[in-house]
Amino acid sequence: MYGALWRALPGPKWLKAIEMLILFAAVVYLLFEFVFPWLQENYLIIDNTVG
């Protein structure tokens, strides 16, 4: 998967590395901003502790 993404990005290696970091940061942002809060609201997740 990462190889296909690497080949699809334009530019030299240094630019591809920057583009990959930007894409990674965007995915992490979207997960924390939208996906995880939606999951918390729509699924009953009970925090259990051991001890």
Side-chain angles (χ1 to χ4, degrees):
M1 178 175 95
Y2 297 110
L5 183 58
W6 184 263
R7 287 187 298 273
L9 292 173
K13 288 183 180 182
W14 63 269
L15 183 60
K16 287 182 181 187
I18 293 171
E19 292 170 344
M20 289 285 280
L21 288 173
I22 292 171
L23 286 172
F24 176 74
V27 167
V28 169
Y29 173 76
L30 289 173
L31 284 172
F32 278 99
E33 193 67 26
F34 300 107
V35 177
F36 295 153
W38 179 82
L39 285 172
Q40 186 178 9
E41 289 177 5
N42 293 313
Y43 290 99
L44 179 60
I45 300 173
I46 300 172
D47 291 329
N48 291 331
T49 58
V50 178

